[in-house]
Amino acid sequence: MATLEKIRNRAGLLVIIIGLALLAFLMGDFLRQGTTLFRDSQMNAIVVDGEVVKINEYEARVNQAQELYRMQSGNNNLSDVEMNQLRNQVYTSIVSEHVLDAKTKQLGISVSPAEVFDLVQGDFISPVVMNSPLFVDGQTGVFDKVALLNFLKGIDPKQINSYGPAERDQALELRNIWIAMENNIHDFRLNEKYTNLISKAMVANKLEIEDYVAAGRTTADLALVSRAAMTAPDSIATVTDAALKAFYDGHKEAFKTDEGRTVDVVYATIAPSQADIDATFQDVETARRELIEGVNANDVISEFSDEQAFDAYLPLSFFRNAFFNSTLADELAAAEPGHVTDVNFSDNTYSVAKLLGTKVAPDSLLVRHILLQPGDAAIDSLFNAAKGGIEAFSNVAVNHSLDNRSGANGGELGWFTEFSAGRFISPEFRDAIFSATVGTPVKFTSQYGAHILLVEKATAPVKKYNVAYVTKKATPSSRTIGDLYNEMNTFLTKNNNPVALDTAALVAGYQTLKDLPVYAMQPNLANSITNSRELVRWALNNKVGAISEVKECGDKYVIAVVKKVYPRGYVSLADAKEQIQPAVLNLAKIDAMYNQLKAGNYASLEAYSQAVDMPVDSINFVKFDTNRLEGVGFEPALNAAATYAPLNTLTPVKGNNGVYLVNVISRNSDADTVTPEAARGLIETSRQAAVRARALQWIILRSDVEDTRVRFY
């Protein structure tokens, strides 16, 4: 009983202990779940109105776009800038898809599979397909439906199953690319339907039509004096806080922004040291000595030069280009074969040249060819048939050449110099055509097969030069690069105060850039700081006062400092003030100038002309809808004055770019007056085109889009 009594007395305490234990258990589970959710959210790449796109989904789309780009462009090596542009294009596509999908579902708009099929194989092929280089005829540049259908047959699942392993993998990759293209076809058509629907709401009313027709019936001739705001001193106007706020409030959507940063940058350019320059001179001086001694010129060039050997006879004009030292070209023009120039220095580059020989010969040849299989039994008979002149050669090329591109054009390859033939085809091809007789076919064998060549035309003979050219630019050595890196690291260790870093950098002789805006979509901190995407990511993942490590960015070592953080939303008035100040000042100057103009009560255009030191001008044949006025540009207020201001009366006009004192001298009837129906069409077409062009961007701007890709690259 005593034991039971003790239990009763301590029951409250026991309940509390059990409750705390249970709470700890539940909280532990909750915290574990919260950690999991946090980790999961860290894999978000894009969030559009609450719809999440994970990084793996985004990367899959990027890979598809990258492969499609490679197939269409033939470019297998995308630069960092190109890759960043591609990622941003995919990002824009994903955001557009999510926003458009939500909006069209609300309106009951859809694109059925049958519609997509018709847009691929029907009478009205989608522009997405028609504009794809995959389905364009290489000869005509026109969409080839047969090529499209053959492509689709090749990626049909049944056909894919019949392929070997390597072909099957390639076909599956192509099929994935086609599925992505079909999605683009669907989205393109969905956007068309949506924008067409809402653009139809843009209609012209009766009063607008009447006004448009009336305004279009007359043209006006004006005399005027213009005073542009940019020509007036800033001192005539004052920018008030109220004016700044009014402008900001009126243009607030322009200040909507993703999360961003402002950074200051300290940098040093990686340049060759004097020791590097001296070493480069010694190399080129050694090359000069070997050229004088008669060492094989191509071997000398291979060892010492940044450029390949020309290995061809070329006219003097070829050597008067930016890639060749002009001083040496002038010297070679008057030299004898065997002459070696002195070493020349220009723009951190040393160069020397040797004249190997000269001759008089045609500069360029127009060449045709017929490509055949090696050992083709018909080669001799085709060779004989090709001897019958240009027409005969062309017929053989059209009917028998394996080179379809040139064969369709009678075998024509185009014009070749010795340089282009040797550098871009082969030295053997160059020797074959420049030793041939014009109009006489010759046989030639290359890695591509057996050729019948014909030199159709040759330019007039000129003096040509065979030149050995050694050129070498002084570049920073690894020691120079390492010394600069260590020097900047030492500087950073001694100057780790973010407030004083800029001043210390200037004292130390480094360069600075201040207040650089940084956002997730940009590839570099600034155009002049290349390969700096890593620092863009660093800045967006750090807080005010953070200082980066020394980073190599292109030809510079860079240190970045985060100065401000802009949260996602709207840039504040305080932060936007510097950006909008010029625009508000311009408006204030126009207001001040307009008040001065009205207060002046000028009796003539000449009086105002003398007062502001601007000429009296004239503009003729002005209509209400004239887009750009001669000498003025786009200034709708002048169009309105031309149409409605009293005749032969001085009228002050306030425009977007300045102020004007205008005299409408005459108005005349226009024989080409539009009808009311035509006016309706013009008004509605213009408005509907504007809606179609901007509708999607408008709804994206009003959507809640979060871009967190910077976590990953």
Side-chain angles (χ1 to χ4, degrees):
M1 292 294 291
T3 302
L4 287 174
E5 187 64 26
K6 289 180 181 179
I7 292 174
R8 289 192 190 99
N9 291 337
R10 297 181 181 179
L13 178 61
L14 187 61
V15 168
I16 292 173
I17 293 171
I18 294 171
L20 288 174
L22 181 60
L23 178 61
F25 174 78
L26 292 173
M27 285 298 294
D29 187 60
F30 173 77
L31 291 172
R32 284 192 295 273
Q33 183 182 16
T35 303
T36 302
L37 291 172
F38 174 76
R39 288 174 181 168
D40 186 59
S41 70
Q42 291 298 100
M43 300 308 292
N44 295 350
I46 309 166
V47 183
V48 185
D49 290 330
E51 293 290 325
V52 175
V53 178
K54 296 294 186 184
I55 185 61
N56 57 345
E57 179 186 346
Y58 172 72
E59 276 295 335
R61 290 283 296 273
V62 170
N63 291 338
Q64 285 181 342
Q66 187 176 2
E67 192 57 37
L68 182 60
Y69 175 81
R70 285 171 175 165
M71 289 177 60
Q72 293 182 341
S73 68
N75 179 10
N76 291 321
N77 298 306
L78 277 71
S79 67
D80 289 343
V81 172
E82 289 171 328
M83 196 64 213
N84 190 69
Q85 290 173 341
L86 190 69
R87 288 193 180 107
N88 287 338
Q89 288 171 4
V90 172
Y91 165 81
T92 302
S93 295
I94 290 173
V95 171
S96 300
E97 289 165 18
H98 279 71
V99 169
L100 186 62
D101 186 58
K103 188 62 67 175
T104 52
K105 281 180 179 177
Q106 291 176 359
L107 298 171
I109 303 172
S110 63
V111 177
S112 68
E115 286 181 89
V116 174
F117 180 85
D118 193 55
L119 289 166
V120 173
Q121 300 192 36
D123 294 330
F124 300 100
I125 306 295
S126 170
V128 174
V129 177
M130 293 193 70
N131 295 332
S132 172
L134 292 174
F135 313 121
V136 171
D137 185 277
Q139 298 292 329
T140 64
V142 176
F143 170 69
D144 185 352
K145 191 171 184 179
V146 174
L148 169 63
L149 295 176
N150 287 336
F151 175 87
L152 294 175
K153 289 178 183 177
I155 61 170
D156 182 86
K158 292 181 180 178
Q159 186 68 32
I160 291 175
N161 289 335
S162 69
Y163 295 148
E167 288 179 312
R168 187 182 302 117
D169 289 344
Q170 185 178 11
L172 287 171
E173 190 173 351
L174 291 173
R175 182 168 178 80
N176 288 334
I177 290 171
W178 173 252
I179 290 170
M181 190 177 290
E182 273 194 336
N183 290 335
N184 290 339
I185 295 167
H186 172 278
D187 294 338
F188 187 88
R189 180 57 183 150
L190 191 64
N191 185 45
E192 277 187 329
K193 285 187 170 185
Y194 172 71
T195 54
N196 285 341
L197 174 66
I198 61 173
S199 68
K200 294 301 181 184
M202 301 295 107
V203 296
N205 62 49
K206 182 179 179 181
L207 293 177
E208 288 177 312
I209 295 169
E210 290 175 354
D211 195 49
Y212 189 93
V213 171
R217 284 182 180 145
T218 58
T219 63
D221 296 334
L222 314 178
L224 74 164
V225 176
S226 307
R227 189 185 182 194
M230 62 183 295
T231 64
D234 293 349
S235 58
I236 70 169
T238 301
V239 176
T240 64
D241 290 340
L244 289 168
K245 186 175 187 310
F247 185 93
Y248 174 82
D249 290 341
H251 300 81
K252 192 166 184 179
E253 286 303 316
F255 299 101
K256 189 173 184 179
T257 180
D258 291 326
E259 182 180 350
R261 302 287 188 274
T262 295
V263 301
D264 287 353
V265 162
V266 174
Y267 70 90
T269 300
I270 304 170
S273 65
Q274 188 58 49
D276 298 329
I277 294 172
D278 292 343
T280 303
F281 169 75
Q282 290 300 324
D283 283 345
V284 178
E285 182 62 34
T286 301
R288 179 178 183 273
R289 186 168 59 252
E290 291 188 3
L291 289 172
I292 292 173
E293 293 170 354
V295 176
N296 183 278
N298 285 350
D299 291 342
V300 175
I301 293 168
S302 178
E303 181 176 357
F304 294 105
S305 184
D306 292 338
E307 302 292 339
Q308 299 178 40
F310 300 133
D311 199 22
Y313 283 85
L314 300 163
L316 191 63
S317 59
F318 178 88
F319 300 103
R320 298 194 187 279
N321 282 302
F323 64 83
F324 194 90
N325 188 295
S326 59
T327 301
L328 301 187
D330 294 337
E331 185 175 341
L332 293 173
E336 295 295 325
H339 176 75
V340 179
T341 69
D342 290 332
V343 174
N344 186 276
F345 181 74
S346 176
D347 191 26
N348 256 10
T349 300
Y350 287 100
S351 52
V352 66
K354 178 177 182 178
L355 182 59
L356 301 176
T358 63
K359 69 178 180 181
V360 176
D363 172 43
S364 304
L365 305 177
L366 178 60
V367 180
R368 295 177 183 265
H369 90 138
I370 300 164
L371 178 62
L372 303 168
Q373 287 284 1
D376 191 323
I379 190 168
D380 290 332
S381 61
L382 294 175
F383 180 72
N384 290 329
K387 290 179 179 180
I390 299 299
E391 186 175 349
F393 190 98
S394 297
N395 288 335
V396 175
V398 168
N399 294 310
H400 298 281
S401 181
L402 299 178
D403 182 353
N404 295 328
R405 184 179 293 273
S406 68
N409 197 30
E412 184 173 311
L413 292 174
W415 288 90
F416 292 92
T417 63
E418 286 195 40
F419 177 77
S420 63
R423 179 67 62 88
F424 304 120
I425 306 297
S426 72
E428 294 76 19
F429 174 79
R430 174 201 63 206
D431 295 342
I433 62 174
F434 275 89
S435 62
T437 302
V438 174
T440 302
V442 295
K443 295 178 182 178
F444 172 68
T445 301
S446 76
Q447 59 179 325
Y448 305 106
H451 304 256
I452 301 173
L453 300 175
L454 176 68
V455 176
E456 180 181 346
K457 295 178 183 178
T459 57
V462 295
K463 187 175 182 180
K464 298 166 71 174
Y465 301 77
N466 188 5
V467 176
Y469 183 53
V470 175
T471 180
K472 190 168 187 178
K473 189 177 184 68
T475 57
S477 63
S478 57
R479 179 172 180 174
T480 298
I481 294 170
D483 287 348
L484 180 59
Y485 177 75
N486 292 334
E487 177 189 300
M488 286 198 75
N489 268 304
T490 300
F491 165 81
L492 185 57
T493 302
K494 294 178 179 178
N495 299 275
N496 55 10
N497 182 346
V499 176
L501 188 64
D502 287 350
T503 302
L506 292 174
V507 171
Y510 298 129
Q511 302 295 311
T512 63
L513 293 172
K514 295 182 69 66
D515 299 325
L516 298 178
V518 178
Y519 294 98
M521 293 186 75
Q522 67 191 64
N524 295 306
L525 289 177
N527 290 335
S528 60
I529 304 179
T530 60
N531 300 327
S532 55
R533 175 65 187 177
E534 186 178 348
L535 278 177
V536 171
R537 288 188 61 212
W538 171 87
L540 291 168
N541 285 295
N542 278 277
K543 298 179 180 180
V544 171
I547 303 176
S548 74
E549 298 175 347
V550 177
K551 294 290 183 182
E552 184 176 353
C553 301
D555 65 344
K556 297 176 178 64
Y557 277 123
V558 179
I559 301 167
V561 185
V562 178
K563 302 305 290 281
K564 288 183 180 179
V565 173
Y566 297 103
R568 192 166 64 96
Y570 293 90
V571 176
S572 69
L573 174 58
D575 289 327
K577 186 175 180 178
E578 186 176 343
Q579 180 183 347
I580 65 177
Q581 177 95 11
V584 177
L585 176 61
N586 192 68
L587 293 174
K589 286 166 66 175
I590 291 174
D591 285 339
M593 289 160 51
Y594 185 63
N595 291 334
Q596 290 174 358
L597 172 57
K598 289 196 299 181
N601 197 25
Y602 295 98
S604 66
L605 291 176
E606 288 72 20
Y608 184 55
S609 170
Q610 291 177 5
V612 297
D613 194 24
M614 299 299 293
V616 178
D617 294 317
S618 62
I619 309 175
N620 298 324
F621 309 112
V622 179
K623 297 178 72 171
F624 187 73
D625 61 349
T626 303
N627 285 327
R628 299 189 66 80
L629 302 177
E630 183 179 356
V632 176
F634 180 69
E635 194 65 279
L638 284 180
N639 296 75
T643 306
Y644 298 111
L647 284 171
N648 297 310
T649 304
L650 295 181
T651 303
V653 175
K654 180 167 69 172
N656 295 324
N657 306 310
V659 298
Y660 311 86
L661 187 59
V662 179
N663 183 19
V664 182
I665 299 170
S666 64
R667 291 194 181 98
N668 304 293
S669 297
D670 187 358
D672 296 328
T673 302
V674 296
T675 65
E677 203 52 44
R680 178 191 299 277
L682 290 169
I683 296 170
E684 292 181 355
T685 298
S686 174
R687 291 178 179 173
Q688 289 171 7
V691 168
R692 282 193 292 269
R694 301 171 189 167
L696 185 57
Q697 286 304 312
W698 190 89
I699 58 174
I700 289 174
L701 193 63
R702 282 152 183 79
S703 299
D704 184 14
V705 181
E706 185 178 3
D707 179 7
T708 57
R709 296 172 298 147
V710 75
R711 293 173 182 161
F712 307 100
Y713 40 71

